[in-house]
Amino acid sequence: MHRVLVADDQDLFRAGFAMILDAQADITVVGEAADGAQAIRAATELRPDVVLMDVRMPGMGGIEATERICATTSAKVLILTMFDLDEYVYDALRAGASGFLLKDIRRDELAAAVRVVAAGESLLAPTVTRRLIEDLVLRPGHGVAPRLAARLTELTSREAETLRLVARGLSNAEIAGQLVVSEYTVKSHVSRILTKLGLRDRVQAVVFAYESGLIVAGDA
């Protein structure tokens, strides 16, 4: 059973998401929160598997709450936003979120997203991942972080190539086809990459790949 906490300052959204998720046989909503501070307290006390987190809330917003929840609990965070290129989404991903949802998501997509993230995967579709991250790294002031670039030496050549393909937005099946290996082997590579680099999921791996200079915006 996947345990979910819903954090949103708008009662209708919060109640609607909770109702949709509670109707699923394998999902239960264990709590609700109207702002970031409440979300942190609820996540600490209720230990949900997944937190649906609105970005813009009064008082403490979703970004700070996401960072604290990801740092102190095992919960995965899905960001809720009205806009698919909301600038706050980038900061939320850096804070440890496993992906983001648009608030006009269909009910079946919402339930499926919770299951995906609860299983330890990132939510973003490959095309969305590339658009988000490339927009991030093209912002003024962005550059390769030497400290992160140095950490690439911790990876084997095959792991580095796998990370490069992950950053391009390829699925495990597509990576397996590129490298002529099994999907199980790709999953093993990805798992070792996350462990070696201290990353939570594929979303953070994509961010790392760009910020370390392993891949640059516009790479085909």
Side-chain angles (χ1 to χ4, degrees), residues 123-173:
L123 176 69
L124 305 183
T127 55
V128 176
T129 301
R130 292 182 65 185
R131 181 175 53 167
L132 281 169
I133 304 304
E134 290 191 6
D135 189 83
L136 167 66
V137 300
L138 286 173
R139 285 194 289 177
H142 175 84
V144 173
R147 177 179 59 83
L148 298 183
R151 296 199 61 195
L152 290 173
T153 59
E154 299 175 26
L155 304 180
T156 66
S157 58
R158 181 48 61 96
E159 289 167 352
E161 180 59 23
T162 299
L163 178 56
R164 185 177 291 108
L165 296 175
V166 168
R168 285 176 48 198
L170 275 66
S171 66
N172 284 348

Side-chain angles (χ1 to χ4, degrees), residues 60-81:
M60 182 186 295
I63 296 173
E64 183 177 353
T66 293
E67 184 172 13
R68 295 194 187 185
I69 288 172
C70 290
T72 59
T73 77
S74 60
K76 306 293 185 181
V77 177
L78 281 176
I79 296 299
L80 294 168
T81 178

Side-chain angles (χ1 to χ4, degrees), residues 50 78 101 105 108-118 121 123:
V50 177
L78 281 176
L101 297 172
I105 190 172
D108 58 326
E109 293 176 332
L110 175 63
V114 167
R115 295 185 184 103
V116 167
V117 172
E121 298 291 335
L123 176 69

Side-chain angles (χ1 to χ4, degrees), residues 8-10 33-41 53-66 68 88:
D8 195 303
D9 65 314
Q10 299 184 50
D35 59 40
Q38 289 182 20
I40 293 171
R41 288 195 297 270
M53 181 75 73
D54 189 19
V55 173
R56 299 174 180 176
M57 295 184 287
M60 182 186 295
I63 296 173
E64 183 177 353
T66 293
R68 295 194 187 185
Y88 294 108

